[in-house]
Amino acid sequence: MGYVLYTNTLGVFLYNDKGELAASRGFSDKERQEYEPLLRRGEWIKPEEELLKGTDGRVIFLGFKKAKRENIVLSQDVDKLARFTAVRDREKFRAANQAISANDVRLSFSEDIVVMHTIRTIDELEHVTNAMLMRVMDFVKLYAPEAVSYLDEPSAVLGILEKGAASTIGYPISEEHKRVFQELARGLAALNREKEKLEKHVEATMKRICPNLLGVAGALLGARLIALAGSLKQLATMPYTTVQLLGAEQALFRHIKKGSKCPKHGIILAHPFVQTAKSRGKAARLLAEKLSHAARLDYFKGPDMSEKLLRDMEARLK
Amino acid sequence: MKAGRHPGVFEDNRRLYTQNLAPGIAVYGEPLVKEGGKEFREWNPFRSKLASSILKGIPPVGINRDSIVLYLGAATGTTVSHVSDICSEGIVFAVEFSPEVFTELFLLAKRRPNIVPILADAAHPEAYYHRVAAADVVYQDIAQRNQVEIFVKNATLFLKRRGKAILCVKSRSIDVAQQPAKVFGEVREALTSNFRLLDYKTLAPFQKDHAVFLVENRKL
Ligand SMILES: C[S@@+](CC[C@H](N)C(=O)[O-])C[C@H]1O[C@@H](n2cnc3c(N)ncnc32)[C@H](O)[C@@H]1O
């Protein structure tokens, strides 16, 4: 059957027609990392070339290669793999594989992960602070009911609680009761400041890694789209019709299963362009197209063209 | 607790256990039980489709003490950890493509010398061909539309003669609108043209609208 050339994480191995090891070239740790991307892409590597020089006639290469070569036949025969496979050197094979994975882990970090964590935290804070504000308001209703109508933020509530000494309605509410809720309102105001800081942080990060998406969607909506898609890469590679419906999965599922109305938009409904449009369906489609385009520009590190994207979008609605 | 019909899997009162390869450490919050000087981890059928398949009566799937297993869709390693308990002297090549969950799998493999974690897309086995060995068992649990195609591709490349392969299917991931029974029927059809079907089980009440297929390599 002639020679068989087989490459794995440990090195390159050449077997003769009796299946005996005729020559081999082990990888150093550095070479292993260097050759790994080439092997993944199916390119020939130097040690393979070297071992091939010592052969004549037909050689079977066990595995995949993109470029064909004279006298070399590609095979993925599982019997041969079972025979030549590296389990004999199990511990070394595992350690080598582990080293490649460690490098993959390191390379798989990208800042969009931080963006996703930050937006989830912001949304969580929003949720919590709203609920807490309601509780503080319940107290304010006892203490100064006339103020409730114009209170919609913690700082105003705090103002009321810090002002007068006694309940305006004449309830005998002690200073101690009041103090407890003052503290709560202060904590709430602090959380709100925290949330604003996170919003600035998301925006600054996006300015760096996805300026187009930031420009077209705005920071919060853009970050939520990344989080729903799973990553900037996934957002960039999904069809724009999917972007249009991100966040409307439940409604879409009901539509397919039960035949209810097909949703026209997911969270992009929150965008002013869709909000103010006469035909929201059409606006949502146009916006989704531009968002998709923006994400792709960002993922492939293109220039910031967000202003042009927005102008095109406005023009097409008319 | 006593040995059942699956090598390395112990049973006690309809509960499954595997002997802990990394004693003292639970992987996903499962209870650890000591008996006869050994430590066992309870195997939760609601968290693992292999455990529920066993409880539903699937015949031995071919994972023995020294087996080489190719596991596609490893996620954080819930099931992989039990497979690693069973093939304590073998290897589990655990392929997962989501970087977010891969980190956890990678850390699990640091504590368990028989797991080889691989960050890769199972749809492109050519990218990891040089990193895995020929396998006695191929196990796949990825919720993807073209999962049958991916399964056939990997089994053809890596499954040894007489090797067995297991495919977990969530009917929704193939077709949301279709009746699960119909989806499973189609999967079965596709599988029998490539393999010998040994068994087929639906996983209710542990997993809704899921089924597993156990096949054997046809090549003899
Ligand atoms: C249902 S979970 C698997 C749970 C796991 N088998 C267990 O029981 O512990 C499916 C996993 O497959 C992964 N996955 C999906 N498609 C994949 C592909 N093409 N290649 C590799 N992994 C994939 C997903 O990221 C996810 O973590």
Side-chain angles (χ1 to χ4, degrees):
Chain A
M1 79 183 183
Y3 284 102
V4 177
L5 188 70
Y6 169 56
T7 303
N8 66 30
T9 341
L10 291 178
V12 185
F13 304 87
L14 184 71
Y15 298 91
N16 65 20
D17 51 3
K18 293 194 202 77
E20 296 157 345
L21 188 64
S24 69
R25 212 9 207 88
F27 296 153
S28 69
D29 292 347
K30 192 160 155 270
E31 284 171 327
R32 177 169 304 114
Q33 301 292 355
E34 201 178 300
Y35 294 140
E36 178 60 21
L38 301 176
L39 292 174
R40 282 184 196 180
R41 286 200 300 269
E43 286 168 31
W44 293 95
I45 58 173
K46 224 167 73 202
E48 290 170 340
E49 313 270 7
E50 282 167 22
L51 288 194
L52 280 173
K53 269 187 205 138
T55 63
D56 47 15
R58 206 175 69 126
V59 176
I60 293 174
F61 178 80
L62 190 57
F64 294 88
K65 290 291 178 199
K66 268 197 303 230
K68 288 214 179 73
R69 298 210 154 187
E70 218 184 320
N71 275 332
I72 293 180
V73 186
L74 297 183
S75 155
Q76 295 90 33
D77 179 46
V78 71
D79 291 332
K80 286 199 185 63
L81 185 66
R83 192 151 158 208
F84 302 135
T85 212
V87 277
R88 267 165 285 147
D89 254 336
R90 175 164 329 177
E91 217 4 80
K92 271 205 215 141
F93 187 54
R94 193 187 101 88
N97 250 316
Q98 189 85 0
I100 293 172
S101 293
N103 198 40
D104 281 342
V105 166
R106 201 171 55 79
L107 295 177
S108 69
F109 173 80
S110 64
E111 280 188 285
D112 57 348
I113 300 179
V114 180
V115 167
M116 294 194 282
H117 286 316
T118 315
I119 189 67
R120 285 178 194 140
T121 310
I122 291 170
D123 287 344
E124 205 67 52
L125 277 173
E126 179 84 40
H127 203 76
V128 170
T129 51
N130 280 338
M132 276 173 78
L133 185 61
M134 302 256 280
R135 297 287 80 80
V136 176
M137 293 290 256
D138 283 344
F139 177 77
V140 174
K141 270 181 215 158
L142 294 177
Y143 186 78
E146 75 285 355
V148 167
S149 57
Y150 62 83
L151 291 179
D152 55 0
E153 51 167 324
S155 54
V157 175
L158 193 58
I160 298 289
L161 290 179
E162 280 177 342
K163 222 165 43 201
S167 157
T168 58
I169 202 167
Y171 286 150
I173 294 178
S174 71
E175 269 303 302
E176 195 190 342
H177 288 320
K178 201 178 96 181
R179 230 179 6 253
V180 168
F181 280 89
Q182 267 176 5
E183 283 302 314
L184 193 59
R186 265 186 218 117
L188 199 51
L191 281 182
N192 269 344
R193 282 194 297 278
E194 224 34 71
K195 198 176 81 198
E196 278 158 25
K197 263 194 256 165
L198 291 176
E199 286 171 3
K200 289 210 182 85
H201 181 63
V202 157
E203 182 160 352
T205 310
M206 290 176 73
K207 183 105 206 145
R208 226 174 28 250
I209 65 167
C210 53
N212 285 286
L213 184 64
L214 175 65
V216 177
L220 298 185
L221 177 60
R224 284 190 191 111
L225 286 170
I226 296 177
L228 284 171
S231 65
L232 179 59
K233 177 182 176 183
Q234 274 164 282
L235 185 65
T237 48
M238 62 179 46
Y240 80 85
T241 45
T242 309
V243 177
Q244 188 174 341
L245 295 180
L246 279 176
E249 287 75 13
Q250 290 291 331
L252 187 63
F253 188 64
R254 271 199 306 276
H255 163 67
I256 295 171
K257 258 315 218 228
K258 310 216 170 88
S260 62
K261 237 172 62 196
C262 179
K264 290 199 192 68
H265 32 61
I267 61 163
I268 65 168
L269 175 63
H271 195 286
F273 181 71
V274 183
Q275 282 287 311
T276 57
K278 269 199 226 85
S279 162
R280 287 185 173 177
K282 185 178 178 200
R285 201 194 67 232
L286 288 174
L287 175 61
E289 264 181 56
K290 294 301 168 193
L291 287 169
S292 223
H293 191 164
R296 243 166 275 161
L297 278 169
D298 291 331
Y299 180 66
F300 295 106
K301 304 259 182 291
D304 181 358
M305 294 170 48
S306 53
E307 276 175 30
K308 180 173 180 310
L309 291 176
L310 282 172
R311 272 202 311 276
D312 285 357
M313 183 171 81
E314 305 273 355
R316 281 187 48 200
L317 193 61
K318 278 171 201 147
Chain B
M1 148 179 352
K2 53 183 195 300
R5 81 176 165 135
H6 293 263
V9 182
F10 302 87
E11 275 182 53
D12 182 20
N13 232 336
R14 296 287 292 163
R15 292 210 180 142
L16 300 178
Y17 298 86
T18 55
Q19 191 182 337
N20 197 351
L21 189 65
I25 306 172
V27 174
Y28 54 100
E30 73 283 9
L32 304 179
V33 178
K34 288 221 168 74
E35 198 178 293
K38 290 175 182 157
E39 186 179 283
F40 298 86
R41 299 162 53 225
E42 192 173 320
W43 192 359
N44 186 339
F46 291 96
R47 301 283 301 272
S48 167
K49 284 156 224 162
L50 186 52
S52 55
S53 313
I54 292 173
L55 285 177
K56 297 277 312 226
I58 207 160
V61 297
I63 308 178
N64 300 307
R65 186 157 50 184
D66 58 356
S67 297
I68 295 175
V69 180
L70 173 61
Y71 192 117
L72 308 167
T76 53
T78 305
T79 302
V80 168
S81 67
H82 289 284
V83 173
S84 130
D85 281 346
I86 300 170
C87 63
S88 52
E89 287 161 29
I91 305 187
V92 193
F93 293 93
V95 178
E96 168 57 51
F97 81 164
S98 151
E100 238 178 322
V101 295
F102 185 76
T103 323
E104 225 171 298
L105 184 68
F106 178 75
L107 293 173
L108 179 74
K110 289 198 155 187
R111 303 193 300 265
R112 291 174 164 263
N114 61 353
I115 300 178
V116 175
I118 296 175
L119 178 65
D121 183 348
H124 299 289
E126 58 282 1
Y128 54 84
Y129 189 84
H130 61 290
R131 296 183 64 191
V132 310
D136 301 300
V137 176
V138 172
Y139 182 102
Q140 178 177 303
D141 179 13
I142 61 173
Q144 294 266 315
R145 188 179 284 269
N146 59 341
Q147 53 188 305
V148 178
E149 188 192 322
I150 294 177
F151 181 72
V152 172
K153 212 170 176 179
N154 279 277
T156 309
L157 284 174
F158 301 114
L159 190 59
K160 288 186 199 165
R161 273 164 200 268
R162 302 245 183 196
K164 289 181 187 172
I166 301 142
L167 173 64
C168 304
V169 177
K170 176 174 158 196
S171 89
R172 243 200 216 186
S173 65
I174 291 189
D175 189 342
V176 265
Q178 197 59 261
Q179 288 295 322
K182 183 127 189 287
V183 173
F184 297 149
E186 282 163 15
V187 170
R188 191 185 172 130
E189 192 104 324
L191 287 177
T192 43
S193 59
N194 290 282
F195 307 97
R196 200 143 61 93
L197 186 68
L198 298 179
D199 199 16
Y200 152 77
K201 292 270 182 278
T202 54
L203 299 182
F206 304 109
Q207 282 91 16
K208 199 173 155 244
D209 296 343
H210 276 76
V212 287
F213 297 84
L214 175 65
V215 301
E216 190 176 48
N217 208 344
R218 264 239 200 94
K219 273 187 281 177
L220 285 179

